[in-house]
Amino acid sequence: MNRDYGARPTPAYPGAADPAELTALGIGRLPGTLGIKITGALHGRIEAEMPVVPAVLAPNGYLHAASVVALADTAAGFGCRLSLPSGAAGFTTLEQKTSYVGTARTGTVRTVAVLVHGGRSTQVWDAEVFDDDGRRIALFRCTQLLLWPK
C-alpha cells in the first residue's frame, strides 16, 4: 500500500490564520486522532482544545500525561510553523518539558501557547494547559530548531 506521509503545506499567514484550516491539517494525524481543535491563531499565540474522552485517559481514569503533551506540543508546533522566518524550510523539536500541577477526568482541556523567543536558529514556546474550570493543570516549554535549505 502506497501512502503519502509527506508534509502538508502551511496556510497563508498574513498575521492571523484560520483555526479551521489549522485543525484540518491534523486530520489523519495524531492531533486529529486525539480530537485536538485549534480555536485561535495569531502571530506568536495559538489556542487549542481537546475533549477529555476515554481514549486520552490513563488506566487510572485521569488524563494521560502524554495527552497533555500532545495538546500543548500541537499548539506550539502550529505556532512555530506559522512563525518561521522567511526562507526557513521547517523545524524540529530539540527539547520539551512539562510540569503537571493538576489533572482532569471529564470535559475539555484547553491550552494557550505563546512564542517567548523567535530567533534565526531556534524558537522557544511556552504553553499552559487548563481544565474546564480554568484551573491550570500543566506548564509546558519546548525549543524548536529551525531548518534551512542546504
Side-chain angles (χ1 to χ4, degrees):
M1 188 181 319
N2 187 6
R3 293 189 177 141
D4 177 15
Y5 292 114
R8 296 180 179 174
T10 300
Y13 191 53
D18 179 12
E21 284 183 52
L22 296 175
T23 298
L25 292 174
I27 294 172
R29 311 281 173 113
L30 183 65
T33 299
L34 297 179
I36 294 173
K37 178 181 175 187
I38 305 302
T39 57
L42 297 172
H43 180 71
R45 180 185 173 98
I46 301 287
E47 298 176 13
E49 65 183 25
M50 179 181 67
V52 180
V53 296
V56 300
L57 300 177
N60 65 4
Y62 290 95
L63 191 58
H64 196 290
S67 298
V68 173
V69 170
L71 175 62
D73 188 56
T74 296
F78 276 124
C80 183
R81 180 180 178 135
L82 295 173
S83 299
L84 289 172
S86 180
F91 70 95
T92 190
T93 302
L94 281 177
E95 178 181 50
Q96 57 182 219
K97 180 193 186 317
T98 307
S99 296
Y100 301 92
V101 295
T103 191
R105 296 177 76 135
T106 61
T108 301
V109 288
R110 294 173 176 77
T111 191
V112 176
V114 295
L115 177 64
V116 295
H117 168 74
R120 179 163 166 69
S121 59
T122 61
Q123 287 186 11
V124 177
W125 285 79
D126 282 350
E128 293 181 291
V129 181
F130 302 92
D131 69 9
D132 255 347
D133 295 322
R135 288 184 295 251
R136 184 183 301 116
I137 64 170
L139 302 165
F140 173 88
R141 173 169 275 191
C142 67
T143 303
Q144 306 290 7
L145 175 67
L146 303 188
L147 305 173
W148 294 90
K150 294 182 179 187

